[in-house]
Amino acid sequence: MSKASREVALFVTCLVDAMRPNVGFAAIKLLQDAGCDVVVPKQQTCCGQPAYNSGDELDSRALAKQLIKTFEIYDNVVVPSGSCAGMIKDHYPKLFSDDPEWHARAVKLAANTFELTSFLVDVLAVETVSAEYDGVVCYHDSCAGLRELNVKAQPRKLLKSVKGVQIQEMKDAEVCCGFGGLFCVKYSDISNNMVSRKLDNIKSSGADTMLAGDLGCLLNIAGKLSRDKSPVKAWHVAEVLAGMTDIPAIGEGEA
């Protein structure tokens, strides 16, 4: 690693690993292009968010401890997901509020953890990327990234530098798409109604491409796009920023 480079540990997340590895590779490319030396620890596991949201404190604490032990040795931990980054930054300290040792370790990791576009813009001061994408895009602000991490301007700033991209904001971009992790399973009818409204807003925007920074939201929206036979494509914002859109869009086939 050169003196000018910064070591960054990438937390890939479960959904990216299992459903859309291209997002992880795109994140690595963006970080390397920004001068970072990227490490992907093999010991990483789920951050514990599904268990935590279900009220399973025992398992969520066990998973959180594993992740803390894996990543606490790094000064910079980057996550291509607002919800998983939010779990670490916002909920880990609360999860260990009754344990002084683990609370201190959780607070330290929280301070060193960043959502991908926030890290690029707010920490590394990246203003442009060398990518091309021919399309009119709208951006969905995922709940956790927006409300827990204040991620909103950062992805849009980077997208403005992508050659060929036209950004067309949709109505209610900040409104939940209905995924919400287990919410879409427990309350499927409500979830379907919410994602149907999201699709109406995407259509009304005139965009041919829908972007977001959380794969859970993207899978939910892309699934509805597919069921409705919509021509709109869904991509993780990292894929477009990295110029890695030479594979089927999310929901169109195996990546």
Side-chain angles (χ1 to χ4, degrees):
M1 183 173 66
S2 67
K3 291 183 179 179
S5 63
R6 180 194 293 255
E7 185 179 62
V8 171
L10 180 69
F11 174 37
V12 177
T13 80
C14 299
L15 283 181
V16 170
D17 180 44
M19 304 297 293
R20 192 71 173 180
N22 194 55
V23 173
F25 296 131
I28 292 173
K29 183 179 185 301
L30 287 167
L31 291 167
Q32 290 178 335
D33 287 350
C36 296
D37 182 31
V38 184
V39 179
V40 185
K42 293 182 179 180
Q43 298 83 4
Q44 61 181 283
T45 59
C46 177
C47 66
Q49 183 181 178
Y52 181 74
N53 290 340
S54 300
D56 184 354
E57 185 173 318
L58 184 63
D59 284 331
S60 60
R61 284 167 72 107
L63 288 164
K65 286 182 178 181
Q66 172 63 30
L67 192 138
I68 291 171
K69 287 188 289 186
T70 300
F71 285 97
E72 64 184 348
I73 62 173
Y74 301 100
D75 292 332
N76 303 277
V77 179
V78 175
V79 194
S81 163
S83 61
C84 296
M87 176 67 186
I88 297 170
K89 290 185 71 69
D90 191 56
H91 298 289
Y92 271 19
K94 300 174 185 176
L95 189 59
F96 294 107
S97 60
D98 61 344
D99 187 324
E101 177 191 351
W102 282 99
H103 180 261
R105 294 170 74 172
V107 168
K108 180 176 179 291
L109 179 61
N112 294 337
T113 298
F114 305 89
E115 184 272 340
L116 175 63
T117 62
S118 175
F119 185 73
L120 291 170
V121 173
D122 301 330
V123 179
L124 299 183
V126 174
E127 296 186 353
T128 61
V129 295
S130 56
E132 296 183 20
Y133 184 82
D134 184 17
V136 180
V137 309
C138 60
Y139 194 90
H140 165 67
D141 296 295
S142 302
C143 295
L146 176 67
R147 294 166 178 82
E148 294 177 353
L149 305 176
N150 296 313
V151 174
K152 183 175 178 66
Q154 300 93 328
R156 290 170 170 83
K157 180 176 183 178
L158 295 174
L159 283 169
K160 287 179 180 178
S161 71
V162 177
K163 185 178 179 180
V165 161
Q166 299 178 56
I167 302 175
Q168 183 63 52
E169 295 290 352
M170 65 174 156
K171 178 184 177 183
D172 295 334
E174 299 181 353
V175 174
C176 180
C177 71
F179 175 61
L182 294 175
F183 175 86
C184 67
V185 178
K186 293 181 176 180
Y187 307 103
S188 58
D189 289 343
I190 298 175
S191 174
N192 185 64
N193 182 271
M194 294 172 74
V195 76
S196 295
R197 293 184 183 183
K198 182 64 64 175
L199 258 65
D200 288 341
N201 292 333
I202 293 171
K203 182 179 179 180
S204 296
S205 75
D208 54 47
T209 303
M210 194 283 304
L211 305 177
D214 265 278
L215 192 52
C217 302
L218 284 161
L219 290 170
N220 185 46
I221 297 171
K224 183 63 173 174
L225 288 169
S226 177
R227 293 191 297 276
D228 285 6
K229 295 180 172 51
S230 171
V232 175
K233 296 182 181 296
W235 295 97
H236 190 287
V237 66
E239 296 177 291
V240 170
L241 293 176
M244 295 176 63
T245 57
D246 56 347
I247 63 172
I250 297 171
E252 287 188 340
E254 294 185 3

